[in-house]
Amino acid sequence: MQYIGRFAPSPTGHLHIGSLLTAVASFLDAKANGGAWLVRMEDLDKPREVAGAADDILRTMDAFSLHWDGEVVYQSQRHALYRAALEELKRKNAVYPCYCSRKTVQENGRQGIDGIIYNGNCRFRQPNNPAQKTPAWRIKTHNQVIVFEDKIFGIQQQNIEQEVGDFVLLRADGEWAYQLAVVVDDCHQGVTHIVRGSDLLLSTPRQIYLYQQFNFSLPEYAHLPLLTNAWGQKWSKQTLAPALDLSQKEQLLQQVLAYLNLPQPIPDENCNALLQWAILHWDIQKVQPQAIVCGG
Ligand code: GLU
């Protein structure tokens, strides 16, 4: 079996315990399956990006002996690929320009599972004089249920038309939406297995829908349990996840391996030896979907 996995951090801050869990699990799953493990910096969201964070993340991964294969890919250098993908969808009449303001979308839509469901105004009634405004581009969704089996969360299903609505691929301000960029990149990089945080579980049907539009073959999915603070909030930059203390890196790695249900006792070794041991003992079926409360 050919296996290409990846870790795709957004350089919005330091690596924290939650992103370490994702990095370690995607690395172990790739290596235990004799696969390659790629790293892609998802640096499309310029306002949220923190200067120096991408290099800091890579240095931290190196410190944990999480060594990736090939060159790091930066989304900010791949606009031409996203543009070509959108052009393909335009040719297929699968997308349409949307001139509605954020306010109109909010006022006329209804609440969905991941934000407001667009009421489809521009899909059915194109404005007469659109030339003065740069549109966003939305994909047409259809009344169809997308079903997939996640290796950790089991069977998932979603009707994207009814639960999410026609979603944006290119924003009116010219920024590419995560949903489009992630699918185009995973396809171009030949990614066969996606192991990532379960905050993205709800996005997966939208991404599968895009794979279908492009006639790309689907990857396998495994979504990891979230690590939360005592209030049940996912550790992230917004919840002030502390930076990893590299003087404690072996303990942090042991902690993460315990969350992933590696067999006890976890040896007392340096990071490289710990990872080699974990590759031999890795069993994705043992990872449980329930969120884990931890100190960060
Ligand atoms: N860049 C996303 C994040 O840091 C992950 C995207 C993905 O793995 O598909 O949350």
Side-chain angles (χ1 to χ4, degrees):
M1 177 193 57
Q2 197 216 15
Y3 184 123
I4 300 181
R6 50 59 154 190
F7 174 54
S10 303
T12 54
H14 299 288
L15 210 64
H16 54 75
I17 189 82
S19 34
L20 181 66
L21 182 98
T22 305
V24 169
S26 57
F27 172 89
L28 293 178
D29 201 53
K31 295 299 161 186
N33 286 289
W37 186 63
L38 312 179
V39 171
R40 181 173 70 233
M41 277 296 156
E42 301 215 320
D43 57 349
L44 285 179
D45 195 346
K46 289 294 164 195
R48 286 185 59 223
E49 192 170 334
V50 170
D55 287 346
D56 184 70
I57 289 172
L58 296 176
R59 266 196 307 274
T60 308
M61 288 167 61
D62 243 345
F64 279 95
S65 293
L66 289 162
H67 302 307
W68 54 91
D69 296 298
E71 297 282 314
V72 176
V73 159
Y74 291 82
Q75 286 192 323
S76 56
Q77 295 169 8
R78 294 161 74 84
H79 291 271
L81 277 179
Y82 312 139
R83 203 166 302 121
L86 181 65
E87 290 306 318
E88 182 181 337
L89 295 177
K90 284 184 191 173
R91 282 195 297 278
K92 291 181 173 163
N93 196 24
V95 290
Y96 61 93
C98 175
Y99 299 91
C100 295
S101 66
R102 190 183 291 248
K103 187 159 173 272
T104 321
V105 172
Q106 297 275 341
E107 282 170 2
N108 300 329
R110 64 188 163 85
Q111 188 60 47
I113 53 171
D114 191 16
I116 296 288
I117 300 177
Y118 179 57
N119 73 353
N121 186 57
C122 290
R123 174 164 174 181
F124 302 110
R125 284 178 296 279
Q126 278 293 307
N128 292 329
N129 185 17
Q132 325 204 330
K133 211 178 154 195
T134 312
W137 283 84
R138 290 182 184 271
I139 189 151
K140 298 174 183 172
T141 55
H142 301 285
N143 191 8
Q144 109 196 41
V145 178
I146 305 254
V147 182
F148 70 100
E149 183 164 10
D150 183 86
K151 289 213 189 77
I152 297 172
F153 280 74
I155 301 275
Q156 305 289 309
Q157 56 176 44
Q158 194 185 97
N159 182 324
I160 32 177
E161 183 197 48
Q162 314 222 324
E163 298 177 62
V164 179
D166 293 352
F167 54 97
V168 169
L169 302 183
L170 175 63
R171 300 197 324 231
D173 63 5
E175 300 291 348
W176 297 102
Y178 156 71
Q179 307 291 356
L180 178 76
V182 76
V183 168
V184 170
D185 282 335
D186 282 332
C187 292
H188 274 266
Q189 295 186 277
V191 170
T192 57
H193 292 72
I194 294 181
V195 178
R196 63 183 176 190
S198 54
D199 51 327
L200 294 166
L201 200 51
L202 285 182
S203 288
T204 304
R206 267 168 278 177
Q207 294 172 17
I208 291 177
Y209 183 64
L210 286 173
Y211 275 89
Q212 293 172 348
Q213 303 299 311
F214 292 121
N215 293 321
F216 290 143
S217 49
L218 285 177
E220 292 183 28
Y221 288 99
H223 287 83
L224 299 162
L226 289 187
L227 299 190
T228 74
N229 61 20
W231 297 275
Q233 297 164 315
K234 176 193 169 213
W235 278 120
S236 67
K237 196 183 166 210
Q238 286 72 29
T239 55
L240 306 179
L244 298 169
D245 175 0
L246 292 185
S247 71
Q248 303 281 313
K249 57 183 194 250
E250 287 80 14
Q251 290 86 331
L252 286 163
L253 190 50
Q254 285 165 333
Q255 185 184 344
V256 159
L257 295 177
Y259 294 152
L260 293 168
N261 284 332
L262 269 292
Q264 306 281 343
I266 291 170
D268 209 1
E269 300 271 12
N270 65 33
C271 288
N272 189 42
L274 267 172
L275 288 173
Q276 296 312 316
W277 171 88
I279 291 168
L280 293 176
H281 293 86
W282 174 247
D283 180 357
I284 200 162
Q285 303 302 331
K286 295 232 160 69
V287 181
Q288 297 300 308
Q290 290 79 19
I292 299 164
V293 179
C294 77

